[in-house]
Amino acid sequence: MEIVDDQIGKQFRRQKRRESGRGVLLVLPAFLFLLVVFVVPIGSMIIRAFDNSETAALLPLTAEGLKSWNGVGPPPAEAFGGLTQDLRQATADRSVGALARALNQQSDGLRTLVMKTSRALPDTELSNAADALAAIDSRWREADVWFALKRASASLTLTHFVKAADLEYGADGKITPLGPSEKLFQWVFLRTFAIAGTVTLISILLGYPVAYLLAASSGVRRRVVMMFVVIPLATSILVRAIAWLVLLQTHGLVNDALSLIGIISEPAQLLHTRTATILSMVHIQLPFIILPIFAVMTTISPNYVRAARSLGAGPIVTFLRIYLPLSMPGVAAGGLITFILSLGHYIIPALVGGSTDQMVSYYVALYTNRELNWGLASALGIILLVATIVIYGAFVRLIGAERVSLVPR
């Protein structure tokens, strides 16, 4: 009997392992997809924001010479000599341009200084490298230049985060805030969150009645309304952005219509404004706010409304006290989705907005594609990611995790 029970137990455990293996195989494609399109890019972005190994590899002798320098007094003679040898080697390897560009990311103006010095350096050994460098350019006697070289010769750096936070390294190597007129990224982040918040609020105000209409209707009417909500999702954002360009340009349909009915006498500046940016983004985001609210509204039993009306509550009181609170999980979920998606908009502000309407994504693309400063682009992306996570956590803590869902509890 015990042998039979043992065999049954083995068969049962084998069957459980087989079922677990099937479950793993079913989940594996989704896991690999998530790993490739989400985890790896974010991990690469984080590494890129801190990594400085390529620049440090071009300055090995300079790094060795600056290792014992604490910023007090001039750098040791070994640092000057090491720099001249590193510049000669970079010139011979044709990597001096990359070195100059990387050093310029540490401190503005170093690119010109490095290129000028590399061209003027003699091929022979220098008896006094410090005087020779100073003769080429007097900036080689300034401490802030050597502080920048010391930072650039390290494998890990915080320079990109310092710039992304509108801070700078002073002449003594300490981090100090930029002046009010020099700050850029703080205003960019504030603008990004302000635009995303405005788009989310307007989307909720416009999307809630549409979701209510969908939930209250049935049959052909619901299918028609749902078709108008879903079809834009199948249209490229770029196509919709160009459509707004056509509508809002100086001699576009909107200006022509306003002129035709006599509201304006000359074309109004509608394109490349904050209003155009917000209006276009609301158009993009409306389906993402309507569908979650509609999903929750369909689960609200009509008996709740009928019970409130039978107890003497009017339509307005019934809506405010019964229907609206029950639909708030959909509003919270849709609002959160819309806000997070709005933070990452790039095409709409770039095409429809003006120079003062560009969001963080524009500068990430700028430093990635044009300036080739991937470290700063990664730092901006990480700050936006962390800020989004913090806002999400605060939102969930304030509203309650059970209310940010598609099913009322």
Side-chain angles (χ1 to χ4, degrees):
M1 189 68 181
E2 293 180 358
I3 296 176
V4 173
D5 292 340
D6 186 54
Q7 290 177 346
I8 293 175
K10 288 181 179 179
Q11 292 177 356
F12 178 76
R13 288 191 293 271
R14 191 180 302 114
Q15 182 66 25
K16 293 291 291 183
R17 286 195 298 270
R18 193 178 294 114
E19 292 177 358
S20 299
R22 291 198 196 101
V24 170
L25 290 176
L26 290 174
V27 175
L28 187 59
F31 173 76
L32 292 176
F33 178 80
L34 186 65
L35 183 67
V36 171
V37 305
F38 186 76
V39 177
V40 172
I42 290 181
S44 176
M45 179 179 67
I46 294 174
I47 293 172
R48 190 60 89 156
F50 292 98
D51 182 49
N52 193 49
S53 56
E54 293 182 7
T55 307
L58 297 174
L59 295 170
L61 300 178
T62 306
E64 188 66 28
L66 290 173
K67 187 178 295 183
S68 60
W69 184 58
N70 58 3
V72 179
E78 292 82 0
F80 288 95
L83 177 63
T84 58
Q85 295 183 54
D86 288 336
L87 287 179
R88 284 198 193 97
Q89 186 62 44
T91 303
D93 296 340
R94 297 184 178 181
S95 58
V96 67
L99 174 62
R101 184 173 60 250
L103 290 177
N104 200 65
Q105 296 172 5
Q106 297 286 338
S107 179
D108 294 336
L110 282 185
R111 177 172 184 165
T112 305
L113 178 61
V114 169
M115 295 303 295
K116 174 184 176 182
T117 305
S118 65
R119 287 192 294 266
L121 271 179
D123 295 332
T124 58
E125 283 295 324
L126 301 173
S127 58
N128 191 326
D131 291 340
L133 289 174
I136 296 173
D137 197 302
S138 59
R139 284 179 291 176
W140 287 117
R141 294 195 182 277
E142 298 176 2
D144 57 337
V145 172
W146 289 97
F147 275 117
L149 288 175
K150 188 175 178 67
R151 293 193 300 272
S153 60
S155 298
L156 298 177
T157 182
L158 291 175
T159 300
H160 304 305
F161 286 97
V162 170
K163 286 191 174 183
D166 283 333
L167 305 172
E168 65 176 350
Y169 286 100
D172 55 356
K174 295 182 180 179
I175 298 176
T176 57
L178 291 173
S181 61
E182 298 176 313
K183 292 182 178 180
L184 170 64
F185 296 119
Q186 290 183 13
W187 295 113
V188 171
F189 278 105
L190 288 175
R191 181 194 309 154
T192 298
F193 286 104
I195 292 176
T198 304
V199 169
T200 301
L201 180 61
I202 296 175
S203 298
I204 291 174
L205 295 177
L206 295 179
Y208 192 95
V210 178
Y212 184 83
L213 175 63
L214 274 171
S217 53
S218 59
V220 176
R221 180 186 296 181
R222 174 181 285 188
R223 287 194 292 270
V224 171
V225 176
M226 181 63 74
M227 180 182 66
F228 283 108
V229 172
V230 174
I231 282 180
L233 292 175
T235 307
S236 170
I237 293 180
L238 180 60
V239 173
R240 285 182 277 177
I242 293 175
W244 281 106
L245 282 173
V246 174
L247 289 172
L248 300 177
Q249 61 183 322
T250 303
H251 296 288
L253 295 177
V254 176
N255 267 313
D256 288 348
L258 294 177
S259 299
L260 184 63
I261 61 179
I263 295 180
I264 58 176
S265 57
E266 58 183 26
Q269 179 61 42
L270 300 177
L271 200 59
H272 306 309
T273 62
R274 181 68 55 85
T275 301
T277 302
I278 292 176
L279 183 63
S280 304
M281 288 177 62
V282 167
H283 171 231
I284 301 296
Q285 295 302 136
L286 269 177
F288 297 101
I289 201 81
I290 293 173
L291 295 176
I293 298 176
F294 166 69
V296 170
M297 285 181 174
T298 56
T299 65
I300 300 176
S301 174
N303 293 330
Y304 298 148
V305 175
R306 286 195 288 266
R309 297 297 300 274
S310 67
L311 293 173
I316 297 178
V317 174
T318 301
F319 175 79
L320 294 177
R321 298 289 298 274
I322 304 298
Y323 199 87
L324 182 61
L326 290 175
S327 64
M328 283 307 295
V331 175
L336 188 60
I337 293 172
T338 300
F339 181 77
I340 292 175
L341 291 177
S342 298
L343 289 176
H345 265 278
Y346 168 69
I347 294 177
I348 293 295
L351 293 180
V352 180
S355 58
T356 58
D357 303 315
Q358 302 308 311
M359 302 167 70
V360 174
S361 55
Y362 169 84
Y363 291 91
V364 172
L366 173 69
Y367 286 107
T368 300
N369 301 323
R370 190 181 304 173
E371 301 294 333
L372 300 181
N373 191 345
W374 290 13
L376 182 54
S378 298
L380 290 171
I382 290 173
I383 292 176
L384 181 62
L385 175 64
V386 172
T388 304
I389 293 173
V390 170
I391 291 176
Y392 172 79
F395 183 85
V396 170
R397 187 175 181 83
L398 180 66
I399 302 298
E402 71 280 357
R403 295 184 64 81
V404 187
S405 64
L406 297 180
V407 181
R409 306 252 178 136

